[in-house]
Amino acid sequence: MTHISPKNLLKKAVKSASKASSRTATPASSRHASDLEEDGLSEGSDSTLDSLSSFQDDMGNVDWSDELKKNIEELSEKRTTARESTLLRLAKILSHKYLDEDLYLQRDTIMDTLKKCIKRSGSVQERILAAKVIVLCFITLGAGEESLYKDVSPILKSIVHDTTEPDVLSAVINCLAVISFVASTDELETLKLMDMFTVIFKDSHRSPQTIVSAVNAHGLLFTTLGGSSRITRSIFDSTMPILTRLLESSNVEIRVSSGESMALMIEILRDNCDSPFRYDRMKTLIASLNSLATDCSKHRSKKDRSAQRSAFREIIGSIDDEQSPELKLKFRGEVITFTGWSEIKQLNAFREALTEGLHVHFQYNDLLHDIFEVSFTPDMENDSQYSSNYVISPSSELSKLRSQDMAKQRQRRGNREGLNDYY
C-alpha cells in the first residue's frame, strides 16, 4: 500500500483521464464520531430521497451516459410532476454513479435547466430536488468550476433572501455552502456567505431546520479559512455569543449543532495560531457544556437527552481536554478514520449530499480523495468487481497543509478584492 501525496484542489485539472463511468454502489456512514460503520451510508437525510434505497434494484446493464443525457433532456418537461421525477432520477444517478466526463460535456445544459427549476415558485419539492442535484453536479465536476459557481450562486442567494418556505431555504443554504466549499477560491465571497448564514441563525424566529442548516453551513466554510488570521479570530469572537444563546434552545439539534460549531472553531484556532489559544469566557462555557452533557431534565424526551449527553461529552472532551473526535467508516474491510471536527464537518456535508452513493465517490472521485487524503487503487484486471485497496493517510499534517494552502489562495484572491477592509 502506498500513500497518496497531497494535491492542491484549487490547481488540479477539472477532468482526469479515462475514468470508467459504469460503477456499482453500496450504502455508507453514521451520525456520531464514535461509530464504526460498515460499507456506506445507512440512511438518507431527506424524505425527498426516500426512494434512493430501491435504486440498486434497477441497476442492471444500463448505458449511464445515455441515461444521464436522456434525463437532462426530460428536465424541460412542462408538467411539474414530470420534472420532479426526473430530478429524483438525476439525484440517484449522480450520487450512485461517478459520471464526471459525461456530466462535463453537458454541464452548461443541465445547469441552465436546473436554474429554471430552482427559480420556479410553484413546487417546493422541485426546488429542493433542484438544489440537491446542483450540489451533486459540483461534487461530480470537482474543483476548478469557479465560473460555474459565479453563474449559479446569485440565484441561490436571491432565494435565501426571498423564500419563506423553511424546507427550500434549508436546501438552498446547504447547496450554497457545499458548492462554495468545492468550487470557490474567493475568500471575500466565503466571508460574505458566512455573514449571510450568521444573520439567519441569529434570527430566533427562523425554523429549527433553517437554523441548524445555517450553523452547519457556517461551520463548513469556517474550515476553509486560515486559523492564524485576525479575520478568523474576529469571526469566532462575533459568533460565540450567538452560539452560546443557541445552547439554550428548546431544540436538541440546534443545541448540538451550536456546540459542535464552537468546538470546530476552537479546534481550528488552537491548531493554527502561533500563540496559545485564549477565550475569556472559557470557564463559563465549560460549565454550560457540562450542564448539557449531564442534563436529566424530564421535560426533554429520553431520546433527546441521550443524544444530547453523548454529543456534549464529545464536545467537552475536545474543548476542555483537547481530545480530537474520531469517526471511522469501514469500506470492504478497510477502515477510514476521520480525525477532528474539520474533517467530520466536511464528511457530514458530503454524506448528506451523496447519501447512499458516498461509497462510490470515495472510490472514484478525486475531489474526495484530495479533501480527505484517501488513496484508492483499483484492481486493474477486474475493476468492475471493486477489488480494492484503500490507503488512508494519517489525516493530521496532510489535512492541515491542504487547509493552509486553500486558505492562502483564498486570501490572495480576497486581498486583491478588498478583503483587508472587510473586518
Side-chain angles (χ1 to χ4, degrees):
M1 298 193 299
T2 56
H3 290 286
I4 189 171
S5 59
K7 299 177 182 178
N8 186 339
L9 259 182
L10 307 175
K11 291 181 180 178
K12 73 186 282 288
V14 176
K15 303 283 90 181
S16 57
S18 300
K19 294 289 176 68
S21 62
S22 181
R23 314 291 193 198
T24 55
T26 53
S29 149
S30 86
R31 172 70 179 83
H32 297 293
S34 59
D35 295 340
L36 177 63
E37 293 291 337
E38 298 281 344
D39 289 305
L41 232 76
S42 56
E43 78 281 333
S45 61
D46 195 286
S47 60
T48 57
L49 295 181
D50 282 344
S51 60
L52 275 172
S53 59
S54 65
F55 184 59
Q56 292 176 342
D57 298 335
D58 303 325
M59 297 173 69
N61 295 322
V62 177
D63 185 328
W64 292 106
S65 179
D66 286 348
E67 191 71 13
L68 179 66
K69 184 177 180 180
K70 182 184 76 172
N71 279 277
I72 292 173
E73 291 172 352
E74 290 178 358
L75 275 180
S76 299
E77 282 277 350
K78 291 184 178 181
R79 289 182 297 116
T80 300
T81 54
R83 292 193 303 272
E84 290 173 354
S85 297
T86 301
L87 286 166
L88 183 57
R89 287 195 300 272
L90 280 168
K92 294 174 182 178
I93 293 168
L94 291 173
S95 62
H96 286 74
K97 298 291 178 181
Y98 181 49
L99 303 174
D100 58 335
E101 294 179 353
D102 297 305
L103 182 62
Y104 183 71
L105 294 174
Q106 302 177 70
R107 63 176 188 154
D108 293 334
T109 302
I110 189 172
M111 208 53 65
D112 286 344
T113 313
L114 288 170
K115 286 187 293 183
K116 293 176 183 176
C117 290
I118 204 165
K119 286 193 290 186
R120 290 188 172 99
S121 58
S123 169
V124 168
Q125 188 87 330
E126 180 178 8
R127 302 180 87 186
I128 292 171
L129 287 168
K132 290 182 178 294
V133 176
I134 289 171
V135 171
L136 290 168
C137 286
F138 274 85
I139 291 174
T140 300
L141 293 170
E145 294 293 342
E146 186 139 22
S147 61
L148 201 61
Y149 171 80
K150 289 180 177 179
D151 180 47
V152 176
S153 59
I155 295 170
L156 300 176
K157 293 174 192 175
S158 176
I159 294 171
V160 169
H161 288 300
D162 297 340
T163 189
T164 57
E165 173 52 55
D167 289 341
V168 172
L169 180 56
S170 180
V172 173
I173 288 171
N174 294 337
C175 178
L176 260 175
V178 175
I179 69 173
S180 173
F181 176 83
V182 170
S184 177
T185 61
D186 183 352
E187 187 168 276
L188 182 57
E189 167 69 8
T190 300
L191 294 173
K192 288 179 178 178
L193 280 182
M194 293 175 72
D195 275 353
M196 182 174 71
F197 298 148
T198 302
V199 170
I200 292 171
F201 65 72
K202 186 179 181 179
D203 184 354
S204 60
H205 296 97
R206 299 283 188 176
S207 71
Q209 177 187 3
T210 299
I211 292 173
V212 170
S213 293
V215 169
N216 289 334
H218 184 277
L220 177 64
L221 295 186
F222 194 87
T223 68
T224 69
L225 304 176
S228 61
S229 73
R230 65 180 179 84
I231 293 175
T232 317
R233 180 67 200 215
S234 176
I235 293 171
F236 171 81
D237 289 337
S238 63
T239 306
M240 281 298 290
I242 306 171
L243 295 176
T244 301
R245 177 176 58 80
L246 290 178
L247 290 178
E248 301 173 1
S249 169
S250 60
N251 182 277
V252 66
E253 291 188 7
I254 292 178
R255 295 194 297 273
V256 170
S257 64
S258 300
E260 289 178 346
S261 186
M262 291 175 172
L264 167 72
M265 291 192 293
I266 291 172
E267 176 187 81
I268 290 174
L269 288 168
R270 275 177 173 160
D271 286 349
N272 294 284
C273 285
D274 296 329
S275 56
F277 172 80
R278 298 185 185 280
Y279 177 51
D280 292 341
R281 297 183 58 81
M282 183 62 80
K283 288 185 179 180
T284 303
L285 173 61
I286 295 299
S288 298
L289 297 176
N290 273 314
S291 176
L292 290 166
T294 56
D295 186 6
C296 296
S297 303
K298 296 298 182 181
H299 67 277
R300 306 196 201 281
S301 70
K302 184 177 180 181
K303 180 179 178 181
D304 282 356
R305 291 199 306 270
S306 176
Q308 176 176 293
R309 287 196 295 265
S310 175
F312 278 96
R313 281 195 296 267
E314 196 163 55
I315 291 167
I316 292 169
S318 169
I319 295 176
D320 199 19
D321 301 328
E322 299 188 35
Q323 296 177 350
S324 297
E326 285 191 350
L327 187 152
K328 296 182 179 181
L329 298 183
K330 190 173 182 180
F331 292 95
R332 296 189 175 272
E334 295 287 348
V335 176
I336 304 179
T337 301
F338 302 86
T339 304
W341 291 108
S342 289
E343 284 195 354
I344 292 171
K345 175 67 71 176
Q346 292 166 8
L347 171 67
N348 285 339
F350 283 101
R351 82 202 301 193
E352 181 175 348
L354 294 166
T355 60
E356 295 171 346
L358 182 66
H359 189 196
V360 170
H361 283 261
F362 258 115
Q363 287 179 304
Y364 294 98
N365 192 332
D366 283 343
L367 176 70
L368 272 67
H369 295 173
D370 289 333
I371 290 171
F372 298 109
E373 302 298 343
V374 177
S375 174
F376 170 66
T377 306
D379 182 343
M380 300 308 292
E381 295 180 358
N382 195 10
D383 181 52
S384 65
Q385 298 303 312
Y386 282 136
S387 297
S388 60
N389 289 316
Y390 272 105
V391 181
I392 316 307
S393 65
S395 67
S396 57
E397 293 304 318
L398 291 178
S399 289
K400 289 179 185 177
L401 286 172
R402 175 193 171 276
S403 296
Q404 290 167 3
D405 185 60
M406 177 177 280
K408 287 177 182 177
Q409 293 198 42
R410 288 174 182 266
Q411 287 168 352
R412 283 197 294 269
R413 177 69 176 271
N415 287 341
R416 293 196 299 269
E417 300 182 18
L419 177 61
N420 288 332
D421 298 327
Y422 193 70
Y423 278 89

